[in-house]
């Protein structure tokens, strides 16, 4: 940077950072500049790892220990006692990576864009809405933006600590692609071979595939996703954070992500010491002995990852299946209970999970304020005789010549469980093969169907799968409150009933109306969203979970135990223990901008 300043290519540091930059306290000590952080993505759809490592600059942020929301892009914030008005003060002199000022106008532009039905037909995200409509978002001055809601917004601050859309849409750049501000936007779209201005805007707003999009993050994209087999980001000269000595962050020059489609190749690179800090896709129980043996040769060590998931593998039968007869079977709670008792979870733990974990349903962890032992352990005892008895009594006593149970219409109960490939968790296919045999013993025909991850998501969005497997997120506190996907049909990750979730998120305009008990949960969550006091929100969440316990939407298998990540011995300032959750954005709140490499 110094050479660029001397050559006149960059202004002096004082003109590039805010008057009061955010000062980051180092985990160990102040660092030295230079070097490259090596990591990887498991396929091009693994953009979450980009967001978690080099893309986390939200209006607020979580503190390192994940106990509260603290200022970030906003220098300060104030909430009214009734939870209707929120004022955010931004940092004077803050700039985008291209040197243009970042102001409250950018927040207003992002909010209006998210609410533009042409761009986002689903409308504003739930956290920016109330049952009485959207808030008014106004620019008071260059550094002040105010959100005024028609009724209390109980979860806004928590959501702004992990949702980053409001700080990722530079008005000065993106407005040229919006028809409202540029009447020639459609003509520009056609010139650049896009269908219309909407397609052009969305493409230009994609921060991982468009290297020209200005950013507030510590590093800016120089080799975008889709160009070759790497994503490369380099230091942002206008980054607005410093260390305690006033030295601009980040310390590292660049971060390079190899895009790898095979999880076994990912593991091989890790054991060879080709990653400097990585906590995703390789850190499974079966892989730990392999990685442990490679530590000396690969020059890396383990760090603790505090598990926040409530389950390593949740099986979701599609309760909204297009086949009405199979739908009846899946919606029969006793059928799901029978299948749950048929799973030998301890054998799964011993054979697949390296003896790490315990039998658990899709229920909050013991560390959570929402923990309910009855919910967590119900229907987890392995009892083949009990499973058969329950399935018989549920109405599926008749069997065909091969011993498989029949639906009421006389057709064999047979379905496939779809598994994303490359598997998000590599051992899912093996674990599901064991489940297939367990269920076969009680007369239920199931097959395991691995498929490309992009196809998996396409089919799920179209409500095509019979059943799916995914991780059980939301096991602790904030993630239970902010993403209760397994506790009622909350979003498009509620795999057991995507159309019900669509009905909820669209406020009844799309999807399929769910049963009364599920609607009751949705009403309770709406009330929770508009409850300004924490005690009230917790009370409502416990009511929602009580209904989830009764409804038993999905079948959990094994609770995730202590996790781990790998860190190169030269990489410094990495926290020794890090919470693991997509709501936490692991490892972002540990401030990767202050990581550095020793010689």
């Amino acid at each position: 940077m110094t050479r660029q300043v001397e050559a006149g290519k960059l202004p002096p540091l004082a003109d590039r950072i805010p008057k009061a930059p955010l000062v980051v306290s180092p985990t160990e000590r102040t660092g030295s500049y230079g070097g490259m952080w090596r990591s990887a993505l498991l396929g091009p759809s693994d953009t979450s790892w980009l967001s978690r490592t080099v893309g986390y600059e939200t209006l607020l942020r979580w503190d390192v220990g994940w106990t509260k929301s603290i200022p970030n892009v906003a220098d300060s914030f104030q909430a009214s006692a009734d939870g209707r008005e929120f004022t955010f003060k931004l940092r004077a002199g803050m700039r985008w990576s291209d040197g243009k000022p970042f102001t409250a106008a950018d927040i207003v532009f992002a909010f209006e864009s998210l609410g533009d039905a042409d761009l986002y037909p689903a409308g504003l995200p739930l956290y920016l809405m109330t049952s009485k409509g959207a808030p008014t978002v106004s620019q008071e001055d260059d550094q002040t933006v105010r959100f005024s809601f028609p009724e209390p917004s109980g979860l806004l601050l928590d959501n702004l600590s992990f949702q980053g859309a409001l700080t990722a849409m530079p008005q000065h750049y993106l407005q040229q692609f919006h028809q409202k501000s540029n009447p020639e936007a459609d003509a520009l779209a056609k010139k650049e071979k896009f269908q219309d201005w909407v397609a052009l805007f969305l493409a230009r707003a994609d921060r991982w595939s468009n290297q020209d999009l200005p950013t507030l993050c510590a590093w800016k994209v120089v080799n975008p996703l889709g160009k070759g087999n790497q994503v490369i980001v380099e230091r942002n000269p206008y980054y607005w954070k410093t260390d305690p000595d006033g030295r601009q962050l980040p310390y590292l020059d660049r971060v390079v992500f190899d895009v790898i489609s095979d999880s076994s190749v990912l593991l091989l690179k890790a054991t060879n010491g080709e990653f400097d800090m990585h906590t995703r896709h390789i850190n499974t129980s079966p892989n730990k002995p392999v990685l442990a043996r490679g530590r000396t040769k690969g020059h890396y060590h383990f760090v603790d990852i505090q598990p926040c998931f409530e389950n390593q593998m949740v099986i979701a039968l599609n309760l909204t299946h297009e086949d009405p007869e199979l739908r009846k079977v899946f919606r029969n709670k006793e059928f799901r209970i029978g299948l749950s008792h048929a799973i030998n979870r301890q054998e799964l733990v011993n054979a697949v999970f390296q003896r790490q974990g315990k039998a658990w349903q899709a229920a909050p962890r013991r560390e959570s304020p929402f923990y309910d032992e009855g919910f967590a352990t119900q229907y987890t005892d392995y009892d083949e005789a009990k499973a058969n008895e329950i399935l018989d009594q549920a109405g599926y006593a008749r069997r065909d010549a091969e011993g498989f149970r029949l639906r009421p219409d006389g057709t064999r109960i047979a379905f496939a469980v779809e598994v994303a490939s490359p598997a998000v968790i590599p051992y899912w296919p093996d674990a599901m093969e064991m489940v297939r045999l367990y269920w076969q013993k009680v007369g239920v025909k199931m097959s395991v169907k691995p498929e490309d991850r992009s196809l998996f998501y396409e089919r799920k969005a179209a409500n095509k799968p019979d059943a799916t497997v995914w991780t059980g997120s939301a096991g602790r506190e904030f993630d239970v409150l902010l993403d209760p996907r397994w506790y009622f049909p909350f979003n498009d990750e509620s795999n057991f009933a995507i159309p019900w979730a669509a009905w909820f998120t669209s406020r009844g305009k799309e999807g399929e109306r769910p049963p009364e008990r599920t609607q009751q949960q949705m009403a309770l969550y709406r009330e929770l969203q508009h409850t300004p006091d924490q005690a009230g929100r917790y009370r409502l969440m416990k009511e929602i979970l009580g209904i989830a316990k009764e409804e038993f939407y999905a079948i959990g298998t094994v609770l995730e135990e202590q996790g781990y990540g790998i860190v190169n011995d030269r990489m410094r300032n990495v926290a020794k223990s890090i919470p693991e959750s997509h709501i936490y954005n692991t490892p972002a709140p540990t401030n990767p901008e202050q990581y550095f490499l020793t010689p």
Side-chain angles (χ1 to χ4, degrees), residues 373-387:
E373 183 176 3
F375 188 8
T377 59
Q378 65 179 356
Y379 320 130
T380 57
D381 55 307
Y382 171 59
D383 191 326
E384 190 176 319
K386 180 188 286 188

Side-chain angles (χ1 to χ4, degrees), residues 142-208:
D142 280 353
Q143 274 75 54
T144 309
V145 62
R146 179 170 286 116
F147 290 66
S148 300
F149 287 84
E151 58 184 322
S153 179
L155 295 176
L156 178 69
L157 298 179
D158 288 342
N159 271 290
L160 291 179
S161 299
F162 83 99
Q163 305 269 14
L166 290 176
T167 53
M169 293 188 178
Q171 180 183 29
H172 72 277
Y173 174 77
L174 288 175
Q175 65 185 357
Q176 65 184 307
F177 310 117
H178 199 297
Q179 194 173 53
K180 181 179 178 181
S181 48
N182 178 13
E184 303 300 317
D186 259 333
L188 179 60
K190 289 180 173 55
K191 181 180 177 182
E192 298 195 27
K193 296 182 170 45
F194 286 91
Q195 181 179 345
D196 54 23
W197 73 268
V198 171
L200 175 63
F201 183 97
L202 294 175
R204 295 296 179 258
D206 187 329
R207 58 179 174 166
W208 305 125

Side-chain angles (χ1 to χ4, degrees), residues 252-295:
L252 294 166
D253 288 335
R254 56 169 46 189
V255 188
V256 177
F257 301 88
D258 291 333
V259 181
I260 300 169
S261 60
D262 189 334
S263 58
S264 62
V265 175
L266 200 70
L267 177 61
L268 179 62
K269 281 182 166 287
T271 55
N272 286 342
E274 296 180 42
F275 298 149
D276 297 305
M277 191 281 183
H278 200 86
T279 69
R280 190 168 170 84
H281 299 310
I282 59 168
N283 56 337
T284 64
S285 300
N287 285 350
K288 192 168 187 179
V290 178
L291 288 164
R293 288 193 295 270
R295 283 177 294 184

Side-chain angles (χ1 to χ4, degrees), residues 318 321 330 416 418 451 456 459-468:
N318 186 356
H321 201 286
F330 288 168
E418 300 185 21
E451 63 194 12
F456 176 89
R459 286 181 52 76
K460 192 175 73 163
N463 196 36
K464 296 298 183 183
D466 297 336
T468 55

